[in-house]
Each structure stands twice: as C-alpha cells, then as structure tokens.
Amino acid sequence: MTSDQKETLQQLQKQILEMQGFKPALPGNAEGFGLGPLEHCFPNAVFPVGTIHEFLTDNPEEAAASDGFIAGLLAKLMETGNACLWISRNRKLFPPAMQSFGVMPEQIIFIDLYREKEILWVMEEALKCEGLAAVIAELPDIDFAQSRRLQLAVEKSHVTGMLLRKEPKRLSATACTVRWHVKPQPSEMMEGMPGVGHPRWEVNLLKVRNGHTGSFLLEWAEDHFAPFAATEPIVEHTKQAV
Amino acid sequence: MKRFVSIWFPHLLTDWLVIRKPELKGRVFVFTEPIHGKVMITAASRDAETNGIFAGTPLADAKAIVPGIQVFDDQPELARKVLTRIGKWAIRFTPIVAIDLPNGIILDSSGCSHLWGGEKGYLKMILERLRESGYSCHAAISDTIGTSWAIARFGSVSPIINENQQYNAILNLPPIALRIDEATTQRLHKLGLDKIGKFIQMPRSVLRRRFGEEFLLKLGQALGTEEETIKPLIVVPPYEERLPCLEPIRTKPAIEIAIQKLLESLCSRLSSEGLGIRYAELKGYRLDGKLTQVHIGTNQSTHHVSHLCKLFELKIAAIEPALGIELFILTATKVEPVSIYQEKLWNGKPGLADKGLAQLLDRLGGKIGLEAIKRYIPAAHYWPERSLRRAASLEEQTETTWQIANPRPMELLARPEPIKVTAPIPDYPPMNFRYKDELHTVKKADGPERIEREWWMDKGEHRDYYILEDEKGRRYWVFRSGHYNDEKSQWFIHGFFA
C-alpha cells in the first residue's frame, strides 16, 4: 500500500465514522465529557453523542450506579438547555437526586409505561425529535432489529439515546455503539475523615464500535468526572473487530 | 333575523310508549294521575281521542265510553325526560334547542336551514325523521317563538311564515294560540272575540285594562314586538364548529377531511383571537341516533392545524361510524392564550419551551395517554415521598427549590423494605445489615439525618436516615423508624445511592 492509498483509506474511514455519527471534537466543545483516559477508547477520542448507548446492570445497586453515571453524562448533554426524556417501567429513579449531578430534575420528562412495545415506540418517536438532549429508556431486553431502528432514528436527529438494561435476560448483539457496565466502588474520604465520600465507579466498556474496550475507575467530584487511583485502564486495550 | 321552529307532539307520551311497546299500537290507552282524589287522564292515545277521550277527562267517564281501556300511571317529569331526549337528538339540526313543556320543543334555526336546502327542506327533514321514529308531530317556522308555537298547533295554511308576516299569519287563529291562560281565553270567547284578528287592532290600553299585562306580553311576543328568550338545553360553548354532511360519512379518509375542515375554521378563529387549543372534543352524531366521540389534549396551547390533525388521526380508529355520521361537532373544551413563538436571532436555550418537544409530547399523549407523561417540581416538604410533586404543565415553576443540603439516593424504593440490622450503640449507624438474604458489612456511614413526620398530614414515627456503604462499595439509604429501642427498633432500606 502506498502512502497515497493509505491516506485515501484513512479519509474514507473518517467519512464512514462521520456518517455513523462519530464527529471529531467540535471546537467549542473541546473539553469533552471529562472522562479522562476513557475517552481515548472512542473513535477520534470523542464521546459519541447522537448514537445509542446501552448500560447493563445486574442488581439494584449497579442500577443506581448507572443512573448516577448517566446523570453525570446528562449534565454535559443538557448544557445546551434542551430537555431529556426518561422512559421507564416501574421507575425507581428519584428525581431530586439528579440535582447532585448537575441536572435540573424539572428539565426531565418522565414517561411511565407498562408495555415493552410502547416503550420502544415512544423511544423511537422521541429520538426523532431534535429538540431533546437525550432519551433514556429502561428496557431490559432488546433485539438487534429493534436497536437498529433506534440507531437509524438517531442518525438523522443526533439525539443521544441510552438504554438502561436492568437485569437483562439474554445478551444478544445489538446495534448500539457502546455497551457500558458501571459498578459501584468504595468511596474515599479525604485524610481518613469519617463518612461516605463522592460516588466512585468502575466503568467497564464492554463494546465500542470502531474503538477499544477497557475498564476505568471514575469518581464524581462535586460537578465533574475525575479518574482516580489507577489512571491506566485495568484491562489491557483490546482492539475489537469493527 | 332570528328564525324559530316550534315542534308540537300532540301525542308525546303515548307515542313514546308505543315506541317502547309496539303491541300497544292501535289500542285505546291513557295515562292517568290522581288529582284531588279523582283519577284524571293526563294523556290519551290517538285511538282514545277518536273515541272522545281527551286529557282532562276523568278516568271513570273514559271507562264508560271504552270499557276495555288500558291505563298507565303517569310519572311526574316523564314528559320532560322524553322532550329532553328528543331535544338532544335535535341538536344535529341547530345548536340551540329548548324544551317547551308540556309537549313541544323549540329550535333556534337562525342560519341553519340553508344547510338542508332551505326552510322547506329543513322542516321536512326534521318532521320526516321524527315521524320515522314514531312520533306524530307538527312544526312551524317563523320569526318569533310565539307565532311558530301558534302555527304549529293551530295553523292550517302553511307551516312556513315568511319574515315579518307574523301579523297576517295569526289573524285567523283562536285566542288560545297566544299561549294565554284558560280564564282569559274563556272571557275572550264570551265577548265574541273568537279570532285574534278581532281584537288585535284594539287599543292597547283597553286590552290591558280588560285582560292584563300578561296578555299583552304574549301578544307582543307572537308579533315580535316583545323579546322572548329560550333556555338552551345545552349551552353552546364559545369555541365550537359544526359540519353537517349531506351524505352519512363512514370511511376514514372522509372523516379525515371532516376533521381537517373543522380544524381549519376553528383554528383560524382562534388564531385571530390569539388563543390555542389545550383540550378538544370531536363528536359525531350517527344516523342511528347514537353519539361517538374522541378527545385530544395538548401540552401547549396551539392553533396549528396540521399538528392538531395529526393528534386526531391517532384517534380516528376509536370513531365508530356504524351506519354513518351525519354531523360532526368540534369543540375546544379548553382554550388558552398562545405564547407567540419568536424566532431568535441567536439560538438560546429553548429547553422545555421547544416547539418540537411540545408536539412530540402531544403525539405521545395521544397514544399512551397524558397520564403517563410526568414532570416533577419541588414541593415544600422534607419527607422524601412528598418532596416532589407533578407539574401541571411544561411551563409550571415554583418558588420552592430542591433540597440540596443532604444527599438523596438515585433510586428510591416505592415502599421501604424492612431489613435486619446490628446496631449496638444508640444513634450510631448499624454495623451490618441483612437485605435480601445477603449480609452487608458497613464500612462507611453518614448520618443520622432525622426527618420528622408532618403530624398535620399523617401520624407515625419519625425516621432517622443513614447513608451506608458496604465492603463492596455499594451505597444504601436506610432508616430507623422512631427512636432507638435496642432489639425492637425497626429498620428499613429506602434507596440506593449512585
């Protein structure tokens, strides 16, 4: 391969990435999500907005950790002033808690439904609406075709979709861009002070389309994410097949 | 010019009974009521009247004429009920219908009759439909209620009295056609004034002295010199549009066209007044006399036709046309001023005011119900379950702010679940607790945060909340109900922290 061909190939790859919703960092948004080394796992080292993310949780404690992590992401996504939609069945999320992650609870519209079909319909409709910052749906199971529909919806509108899969029954392939698994980690107080410190999580990237997987330790410090202890990922980077 | 239709049902109650019991058709039967210890007939069937039995005859006399006469008890208010039902049915012909006891209804047909091809077609349509359903009836149309009433009951020439012809129309009618009382009528007859034409020219002062003010009022109301108002059966809401259909409508595209047309005219009216729809109702009057209706709600008042059309389209499946719908009525049951959307030079933060969002929520609300869509604002309570309340609209704000002094859990259980704890020292956090068969050793803890119950709202113990972190870094919100009481203390888990 000559250098010319290589360059063309890179250009094309970049174009494909852009078509799939991975945009290079915008000049005004240079600081990103402040996720630290985690962001280098994503294509172009930019947190992919305008795509579908899925969060796996195995128990209520992890669900709460995922909620918190999502709230931290929402704080950034909703900086534009747009509202977000939270669709759920048996919602346990306690809106006042969003405040500690820099999200105004009154900016979130909750939709409580019972039927899976309705949740999917509402999510797809909502993802088509450009006036929203993000759409979060609590849905344990989703198949490939359904997730593909959601992905197609966001490719047009550039709304970020998040699927919170609480205790999923089966883990089949989905069209989601990133698969997360957030686990709570013991908190740390300054200089051995008593009490419970800032929330800390072990954030696992189980799948990143066109990126790397990895595991990271993150803390929510007052109003931003902060990596702690090990700055290097625990698990070695592994290149995943595209 | 106002036009009124008066419809007279000479056999209202008996026709009503025949419709319900077809075997009575052609039989002699009466309704009776005891008056002053005497059983009097209040309504007689058509066949009874041919035998000389009328309302007001004592039952004993009637029995002498027709020995096998069938007798039914008259129920008070029955006539009103029947007339109300007929009146509601007649709303398809005009929005303003009033009942006229004891045996008629009045329709304000101003501006309605052209939809049925003129007054002749209008009257014919109403009478045909009423007669089809089994009521014998007579009707007349004129400028005044009084004249219509008189012509419907006593007229013999034409039921349609042209504009300003009331005077000529009632000349040959008997005085009772003026809706005056029995005594006055008899006095007029005694004086030989058996036709209205004989006294209508007399000076008013003479008439007033002889027959009273009431008499002149009724005469004036018939001629149109005195005002007369009717009490509509259903008050017409201010924002309503009607669409009568020449042919009954049964198909989805046709219903869509009807909705489109109604919305266009309603919205152009609303937009000129700066108002928009929050709730709207579409009623379809069916050929079989039943009513089918759907309603929509919006999150922000709007008079955007295509958006409202989309909302109704989601509901068309719920409209049952059956044999066909002959009249559509679209009512804006709740209107609010529209906030004028201003195009911004610099893109600010639209947030919840975003138009796309409001339209999305309307669409969602149309499908899943507005109940499912919630937004929360802080409420002035410390009690966790009451610390937030549902906002009534997208715009609603409160002066109260969210409590941020103490952390709140990310997930809150709908109902606190009891747990077993080991808490050896009073008012210290527990050392460990057992939740869902798993023993959690507490490594770090915060608390207690005492939250008192609002005694004016409910009774019970206060709660002492602790934030606990176990050996795996999982964070919980637990509380002890009431004061520390060694073994007997009750502990609950209420939520999970991030």
Side-chain angles (χ1 to χ4, degrees), chain A residues 59-61 63-65 67-68 71 79-83 85 91-101 104-113 118 121-122 125-126 129 131-132 138 166 184-189 194-201, chain B residues 314 348-352 354 356-357 360-361 363-364 367-368 372-378 384-385 387-388 394 397 401-404 408-414 435-436 438 440 444-446 467-477 496-498:
Chain A
N59 47 50
E61 294 88 342
D67 286 340
E79 261 181 5
T80 53
N82 283 339
L85 229 62
R91 178 169 50 83
K92 289 203 203 96
L93 185 82
F94 191 49
M98 301 297 270
Q99 176 110 334
S100 47
F101 292 92
M104 294 306 282
E106 55 263 53
Q107 290 282 89
I108 306 173
I109 292 156
F110 293 95
I111 300 186
D112 293 346
L113 295 169
E118 284 183 334
W121 180 82
V122 169
E125 284 291 308
C129 175
L132 286 171
E138 291 179 21
K166 290 184 176 174
Q185 283 288 312
S187 64
E188 203 69 56
M189 281 299 274
V196 181
H198 293 307
R200 285 185 167 191
W201 307 296
Chain B
L314 293 167
K349 294 183 172 182
L352 293 165
D354 187 83
L357 175 64
L360 168 78
L361 293 182
R363 269 205 314 280
L364 299 183
K367 178 120 173 173
I368 57 175
I373 301 172
K374 293 163 191 163
R375 191 179 147 251
Y376 294 98
I377 49 176
E385 287 93 332
S387 61
L388 70 172
L394 279 179
Q397 301 287 342
T401 51
W402 299 98
Q403 318 283 346
I404 47 169
R408 287 286 174 263
M410 216 52 217
E411 299 224 327
L412 191 79
L413 293 168
Y435 173 56
K436 286 202 173 152
E438 195 187 336
H440 301 264
K444 296 190 186 76
D446 252 338
I467 302 168
L468 306 180
E469 187 179 284
D470 73 358
E471 72 281 7
K472 286 183 187 160
R474 296 171 290 191
R475 289 170 277 272
Y476 302 89
W477 209 32
F496 306 95
F497 278 94

Side-chain angles (χ1 to χ4, degrees), chain B residues 428-449:
Chain B
Y428 258 58
M431 276 162 61
N432 58 43
F433 65 95
R434 195 173 277 278
Y435 173 56
K436 286 202 173 152
D437 284 338
E438 195 187 336
L439 184 71
H440 301 264
T441 314
V442 176
K443 289 282 173 200
K444 296 190 186 76
D446 252 338
E449 177 195 353

Side-chain angles (χ1 to χ4, degrees), chain B residues 412-425:
Chain B
L412 191 79
L413 293 168
R415 170 172 302 218
E417 289 171 26
I419 48 170
K420 282 208 175 106
V421 309
T422 314
I425 316 166

Side-chain angles (χ1 to χ4, degrees), chain A residues 1 8 34 41 46 48 51 54 136 143 169 177 185 223-224:
Chain A
M1 233 187 322
T8 325
C41 286
V46 173
T51 55
E54 58 176 326
I136 300 105
D143 66 24
K169 287 191 197 79
T177 314
Q185 283 288 312
D223 58 353
H224 62 278

Side-chain angles (χ1 to χ4, degrees), chain B residues 192-337:
Chain B
L193 303 171
D194 58 346
K195 276 190 182 140
I196 296 173
K198 287 189 180 168
F199 56 80
I200 200 163
Q201 293 283 20
M202 287 182 188
R204 286 170 66 82
S205 55
V206 174
L207 290 176
R208 184 181 291 118
R209 196 171 66 233
R210 298 256 176 175
F211 308 109
E213 194 61 54
E214 177 76 10
F215 175 75
L216 277 181
L217 178 74
K218 292 287 181 197
L219 188 60
Q221 282 176 343
L223 292 172
T225 54
E226 298 279 347
E227 275 290 312
E228 184 172 2
T229 51
I230 54 174
K231 192 171 154 248
L233 210 51
I234 290 169
V235 178
V236 185
Y239 297 100
E240 190 181 88
E241 288 292 330
R242 304 162 64 83
L243 183 74
C245 313
L246 287 178
E247 287 282 318
I249 277 181
R250 285 210 305 242
T251 58
K252 192 179 169 209
I255 294 175
E256 277 172 14
I257 293 168
I259 292 170
Q260 175 87 28
K261 280 200 160 182
L262 285 167
L263 279 172
E264 272 168 15
S265 47
L266 185 66
C267 289
S268 71
R269 216 177 111 203
L270 287 170
S271 71
S272 66
E273 293 175 37
L275 296 168
I277 290 174
R278 278 298 303 274
Y279 290 102
E281 195 174 58
L282 178 76
K283 284 187 195 147
Y285 285 81
R286 287 178 2 192
L287 211 57
D288 57 5
K290 293 212 174 84
L291 189 73
T292 171
Q293 54 186 343
V294 292
H295 38 84
I296 57 150
T298 64
N299 285 288
Q300 266 178 356
S301 59
T302 172
H303 50 243
H304 199 266
V305 176
S306 65
H307 173 54
L308 290 165
C309 250
K310 264 192 208 131
L311 297 183
F312 271 116
E313 261 166 37
L314 293 167
K315 300 279 187 168
I316 286 180
I319 300 175
E320 275 181 62
L323 289 170
I325 295 170
E326 50 182 359
L327 171 72
F328 286 99
I329 295 183
L330 178 71
T331 315
T333 40
K334 187 175 173 192
V335 291
E336 273 176 13

Side-chain angles (χ1 to χ4, degrees), chain B residues 174-177 180-190 193 211:
Chain B
I176 195 170
I180 50 181
D181 57 52
E182 192 70 35
T184 317
T185 321
Q186 277 178 7
R187 198 165 340 134
L188 283 164
H189 277 284
K190 248 184 216 165
L193 303 171
F211 308 109

Side-chain angles (χ1 to χ4, degrees), chain B residues 136-150:
Chain B
S136 54
C137 52
H138 302 281
I141 183 163
S142 76
D143 284 359
T144 64
I145 297 167
T147 304
S148 295
W149 193 94

